[in-house]
Amino acid sequence: MQINISPQLQAIIRKRCQDTGHTPEEIVAIALRGYLEIDEETLFQTSTIGALVEGVYRGDLTIAELKNYGDFGLGTFNDLDGEMVVLDGQVWQLRSDGQAYPVADEVKTPFATVTFWQADWMATLAQPLNYEELQRYLDTLLPSDNIFYAIKISGQFRHVRTRTIERQDQPTRLVEAAARQPVHEFQSVQGDLIGFWTPSYMKTVNVPGYHFHFLSADRQRGGHVLDVCIERVDIGIDDTPRLRVALPETQEFLAANLTRDTQQELHQAEK
Ligand SMILES: [Zn+2]
């Protein structure tokens, strides 16, 4: 879609770009989302992390539907077929070969979390930090432990270690599937960490704490982040105080026993 914008409006957009650091595309997207009453401050997710841990790997939400609720996020695909990244409105499937693939709209997801990205504030970090140190630094940026934050970390990484779960054709628990996960190492790579902070009291709903997926800048490689060492990155943080959950109406979800405490298995599978 190509749209003509009047010189007067273009001048206002350019001024706003200077003031905010946003690109013209971002300013137009922000303005349109406001006019169209699209809620940017809501985290949308399908199913729960508790159900995924119990092995509910089939959902009924398509990628086309998911895109209506956000342009930024992460998740997985039916039968646990790799890791999902949603970035700039595009959905990528990071498969067990460590490569990234575009995803067809009719593909379904059993678990995904998205929001409309709009950084509420930015920081730049130009010192080598490992994953633990990066998380401690992020702790100092987040004003509260009690709401969701979408977090994007873009730039140069010394290394990134990821896993990408393999498609599961037999019923398994997440912890068993994750135990066989292929691990990939990327050295000296440009890219983005796409992720969220989830409050610990939400631990049956989403992954508590930080959860990131990596996508390389050339959009060719990535996975669920196990470890990183950053070199020089820009960090964007998007406060997300509202949550909307769409629970699947599949037989698998409806019949699942979701009363057990799965924290130990979740920690083992995700960290
Ligand atoms: Zn993940």
Side-chain angles (χ1 to χ4, degrees):
M1 188 188 290
Q2 291 246 331
I3 293 166
N4 291 319
I5 294 175
S6 71
Q8 292 88 341
L9 260 182
Q10 285 187 37
I12 294 168
I13 291 169
R14 272 197 293 274
K15 170 80 168 66
R16 189 60 67 92
C17 289
Q18 280 171 8
D19 292 346
T20 62
H22 288 301
T23 63
E25 285 77 13
E26 286 169 339
I27 299 284
V28 170
I30 291 163
L32 278 175
R33 288 202 289 266
Y35 177 76
L36 298 170
E37 297 181 345
I38 294 169
D39 183 356
E40 292 177 333
E41 301 290 283
T42 296
L43 199 73
F44 172 87
Q45 74 169 63
T46 182
S47 193
T48 68
I49 195 64
L52 200 72
V53 172
E54 290 287 357
V56 180
Y57 299 154
R58 292 217 176 136
D60 51 9
L61 190 88
T62 66
I63 297 307
E65 291 167 322
L66 183 69
K67 285 175 178 170
N68 292 327
Y69 301 106
D71 59 7
F72 175 96
L74 50 71
T76 185
F77 299 93
N78 272 14
D79 298 325
L80 225 55
D81 191 8
E83 313 283 339
M84 180 193 295
V85 161
V86 186
L87 185 59
D88 301 326
Q90 275 188 288
V91 181
W92 302 93
Q93 184 174 17
L94 310 166
R95 303 195 67 189
S96 52
D97 59 1
Q99 305 287 311
Y101 299 88
V103 184
D105 274 348
E106 60 273 17
V107 170
K108 290 180 178 170
T109 171
F111 180 77
T113 308
V114 293
T115 186
F116 285 100
W117 176 257
Q118 191 196 341
D120 290 299
W121 73 92
M122 306 281 299
T124 297
L125 204 47
Q127 62 188 106
L129 294 185
N130 65 30
Y131 198 23
E132 186 67 33
E133 291 164 340
L134 175 64
Q135 292 184 44
R136 296 293 77 80
Y137 176 74
L138 293 172
D139 288 346
T140 68
L141 296 182
L142 304 185
S144 170
D145 288 343
N146 298 335
I147 65 168
F148 293 92
Y149 297 95
I151 305 170
K152 180 161 68 171
I153 302 177
S154 309
Q156 179 70 30
F157 297 84
R158 286 193 173 183
H159 77 258
V160 183
R161 185 148 55 91
T162 67
R163 71 104 200 272
T164 36
I165 276 192
E166 264 173 331
R167 182 189 174 89
Q168 303 293 308
D169 294 317
Q170 302 293 326
T172 55
R173 302 183 63 75
L174 185 65
V175 69
E176 293 160 6
R180 298 188 296 270
Q181 58 194 359
V183 172
H184 298 274
E185 296 269 356
F186 308 112
Q187 305 291 342
S188 184
V189 62
Q190 294 252 350
D192 300 272
L193 301 184
I194 291 97
F196 296 96
W197 162 266
T198 295
S200 64
Y201 66 83
M202 285 280 177
K203 57 183 181 265
T204 61
V205 176
N206 210 313
V207 180
Y210 298 102
H211 180 196
F212 288 104
H213 288 183
F214 175 73
L215 183 63
S216 62
D218 60 10
R219 308 299 187 236
Q220 300 287 313
R221 300 171 290 168
H224 168 100
V225 172
L226 297 174
D227 192 25
V228 296
C229 182
I230 62 159
E231 177 95 42
R232 190 190 184 288
V233 292
D234 293 315
I235 301 171
I237 295 173
D238 186 359
D239 303 357
T240 312
R242 289 192 283 276
L243 173 65
R244 181 175 177 187
V245 182
L247 297 174
E249 292 186 85
T250 57
Q251 195 46 42
E252 214 185 340
F253 184 86
L254 296 174
N257 178 357
L258 304 179
T259 61
R260 298 186 333 132
D261 182 350
T262 54
Q263 282 316 292
Q264 189 57 37
E265 282 185 41
L266 174 61
H267 185 78
Q268 212 178 318
E270 292 290 323
K271 306 293 174 181

